[in-house]
């Protein structure tokens, strides 16, 4: 039986692959810690349930945060706790479909100052995105926030 000979990876290729895997691991860890920090900051009840009339009779608990400014479009705000809102999966689905009334309700509840602060931060352009060191610093910053 003849096998396809596998190309041997060079040491540099192995190093690059290891760095890529480490960066991905750190990115996932930073996301997890961000979710924890959002829940610590704003509570574990769905934002829309907590700010509605029916909140007193039915509360949806959550352990996830939703990015008001999308993390793909605004990477500078991806790990900003103030950009996070605790939200249940049903409301998250509606918000992801850009339900304008939901997005407007968030601004009304959180205030114009909150929105303007995030808008100003979104215009900052840092160049150190998505390196392993960047994620390490983000995790460290969020851990300090959680331990405060």
């Amino acid at each position: 039986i003849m096998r396809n000979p596998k190309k041997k990876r060079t040491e540099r290729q192995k190093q690059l692959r290891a760095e890529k895997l480490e960066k991905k691991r750190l990115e996932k860890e930073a996301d997890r810690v961000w979710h924890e920090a959002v829940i610590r900051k704003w509570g574990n009840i769905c934002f829309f349930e907590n700010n509605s009339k029916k909140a007193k009779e039915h509360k949806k608990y959550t352990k996830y945060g939703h990015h008001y400014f999308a993390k793909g479009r605004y990477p500078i705000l991806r790990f900003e706790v103030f950009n996070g809102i605790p939200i249940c999966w049903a409301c998250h689905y509606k918000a992801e479909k850009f339900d304008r009334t939901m997005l407007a309700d968030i601004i009304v509840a959180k205030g114009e100052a909150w929105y303007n602060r995030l808008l100003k931060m979104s215009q900052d352009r840092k160049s150190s995105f998505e390196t392993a060191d960047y994620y390490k610093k983000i995790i460290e910053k969020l851990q300090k926030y959680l331990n405060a």
Side-chain angles (χ1 to χ4, degrees):
I1 300 175
M2 238 176 128
R3 291 182 169 182
N4 287 339
K6 288 188 174 182
K7 290 184 180 179
K8 299 238 179 198
R9 289 190 173 141
T10 66
E11 286 303 312
R12 179 67 181 143
Q13 288 172 323
K14 289 177 185 177
Q15 180 186 4
L16 288 173
R17 179 160 169 72
E19 287 172 6
K20 184 178 178 181
L21 291 173
E22 176 65 2
K23 186 182 111 176
K24 195 66 171 165
R25 185 191 69 74
L26 289 168
E27 180 183 24
K28 285 181 180 181
E29 176 68 9
D31 280 332
R32 185 190 65 74
V33 177
W34 179 83
H35 285 285
E36 285 180 27
V38 167
I39 297 304
R40 170 78 57 88
K41 174 73 178 165
W42 305 112
N44 68 340
I45 297 171
C46 176
F47 175 83
F48 295 102
E49 295 295 320
N50 205 23
N51 289 290
S52 71
K53 292 175 185 167
K54 67 179 183 176
K56 292 169 181 66
E57 58 199 53
H58 177 72
K59 292 185 178 183
K60 291 183 184 175
Y61 294 93
T62 184
K63 59 181 180 174
Y64 298 103
H66 168 71
H67 293 87
Y68 182 82
F69 283 86
K71 63 184 180 182
R73 190 166 180 189
Y74 300 95
I76 190 80
L77 296 177
R78 179 177 185 171
F79 298 109
E80 178 56 51
V81 175
F82 286 96
N83 188 35
I85 300 153
I87 194 169
C88 68
W89 283 109
C91 292
H92 189 263
Y93 179 77
K94 290 179 199 171
E96 287 294 315
K97 298 298 176 196
F98 300 105
D99 183 329
R100 302 273 184 236
T101 54
M102 291 180 87
L103 299 177
D105 288 346
I106 294 169
I107 295 173
V108 168
K110 298 234 178 235
E112 288 287 327
W114 167 84
Y115 177 78
N116 290 332
R117 176 184 178 190
L118 284 174
L119 193 59
K120 185 178 180 192
M121 291 171 71
S122 74
Q123 296 164 354
D124 188 11
R125 301 283 180 231
K126 292 184 180 175
S127 60
S128 63
F129 285 128
E130 300 184 7
T131 63
D133 286 337
Y134 169 76
Y135 290 118
K136 287 177 185 176
K137 288 176 187 173
I138 290 296
I139 292 167
E140 187 178 304
K141 175 184 160 189
L142 291 169
Q143 288 289 2
K144 284 180 184 176
Y145 178 84
L146 287 171
N147 295 327

